[in-house]
Amino acid sequence: MDSATKPAVLMVYFSYTHQTEKVMEAMAEVLRDRGCETTLARIEFTDPRYEKRFKQFPMPKPFLEVVAMIPAELRHRPAQIGIPDVVTEREYDFVFIGSPTWWLSTDIPIRSFLESDAATKVLNGKPFTGAVCCRRYWKHNLNTVRRMGTKRGGDFVDGIHFRYQGGQVRSLFSLLSFLGSGEYKERYHGVKIPPTNLQDYHLDEAREFASALGNRLVPASSSE
Ligand SMILES: Cc1cc2nc3c(=O)[nH]c(=O)nc-3n(C[C@H](O)[C@H](O)[C@H](O)COP(=O)(O)O)c2cc1C
């Protein structure tokens, strides 16, 4: 297929600890192999109120810093973000939105993107999907992506989520341990914790999802 006939897929996402980025990259690779033209666009969180917190990793005080985002999440007001030029400088046939969960719902940067004129430009009249990375809570986030994207004129076609290991308490300990150290440890304050973040099986699921999407965007006869 030449580039004029290849379906153009925009993969727009926010990622602080690179998990969403990892799944978006894995899916982009599959879609490229399937004959799509993929463009990755990472939203920057430039709001002066929060920029410093999300510029540093690991977090010096992870519990306090995660808790400090509650009021902003509850306000549901758009924050200042940077949207890469590639998002609006051309038209795309399909849009993929990568959204980490923050406080049970869509993270502020992706929520802000979905409120933007750029989102209307890129989503209006186009099919789109969402990919959620989270410790445990994906449903409200994915529903919010669907609702907000639909409001911008998009046509939601499916979605996928990646949920990390562990129950309510231990998965939180694993997250706090990782956010505060940048390392994978076996214990947090003496309590045994499961591995956090994406595992290989999540990436396999992501590739399968992208492969099915690729089949839909590039029917077998046109990829030959
Ligand atoms: C500020 C903040 C709030 C979070 N709140 C939740 C939450 O309510 N539920 C959940 O399942 N995960 C929550 N998480 C975990 C993230 O969804 C998880 O770390 C994910 O990997 C982040 O994606 P990223 O690596 O692409 O930044 C939170 C993480 C942060 C930094």
Side-chain angles (χ1 to χ4, degrees):
M1 289 173 90
D2 58 36
S3 62
T5 51
K6 280 182 171 183
V9 180
L10 173 68
M11 309 193 70
V12 59
Y13 65 94
F14 173 74
S15 195
Y16 167 52
T17 60
H18 303 289
Q19 303 306 299
T20 310
E21 185 161 69
K22 221 171 170 176
V23 276
M24 295 302 267
E25 283 173 351
M27 292 192 280
E29 200 182 316
V30 172
L31 287 167
R32 263 195 302 273
D33 288 348
R34 287 296 170 115
C36 298
E37 203 177 309
T38 57
T39 302
L40 285 152
R42 180 183 173 144
I43 300 295
E44 298 299 326
F45 199 12
T46 53
D47 195 301
R49 290 169 293 177
Y50 319 111
E51 191 182 18
K52 197 167 155 238
R53 177 169 300 144
F54 292 98
K55 269 239 158 89
Q56 55 182 353
F57 181 81
M59 286 176 158
K61 293 183 180 138
F63 181 73
L64 292 180
E65 290 171 76
V66 167
V67 167
M69 294 312 289
I70 295 178
E73 273 290 327
L74 294 180
R75 263 199 304 276
H76 287 183
R77 293 267 165 74
Q80 197 176 302
I81 52 168
I83 302 174
D85 291 344
V86 287
V87 171
T88 46
E89 69 192 11
R90 61 164 296 182
E91 204 176 316
Y92 294 94
D93 302 302
F94 192 91
V95 182
F96 216 125
I97 296 178
S99 173
T101 296
W102 281 8
W103 289 107
L104 309 179
S105 190
T106 303
D107 56 289
I108 296 166
I110 286 298
R111 187 182 281 279
S112 307
F113 171 70
L114 288 169
E115 295 265 2
S116 71
D117 292 343
T120 304
K121 186 156 190 258
V122 86
L123 284 167
N124 196 16
K126 304 292 178 192
F128 76 104
T129 188
V132 164
C133 282
C134 62
R135 176 174 70 83
R136 277 175 75 80
Y137 299 98
W138 60 273
K139 222 176 207 166
H140 193 260
N141 183 357
L142 195 55
N143 282 339
T144 302
V145 168
R146 178 174 53 188
R147 181 177 51 75
M148 293 185 79
T150 306
K151 215 167 155 188
R152 305 261 81 80
D155 179 16
F156 189 78
V157 290
D158 211 341
I160 186 166
H161 64 274
F162 306 95
R163 203 179 186 215
Y164 309 152
Q165 291 180 26
Q168 172 62 275
V169 174
R170 281 171 205 259
S171 72
L172 176 62
F173 286 177
S174 295
L175 174 70
L176 293 174
S177 167
F178 176 70
L179 289 177
S181 69
E183 291 168 15
Y184 296 112
K185 299 191 173 177
E186 296 207 338
R187 291 185 179 272
Y188 182 69
H189 294 298
V191 179
K192 197 160 168 29
I193 50 173
T196 189
N197 287 345
L198 296 168
Q199 306 298 311
D200 288 346
Y201 65 85
H202 290 118
L203 293 173
D204 291 342
E205 283 167 27
R207 291 188 188 101
E208 245 174 66
F209 182 80
S211 179
L213 184 62
N215 288 342
R216 186 188 163 133
L217 293 173
V218 188
S221 57
S222 57
S223 64
E224 283 158 7

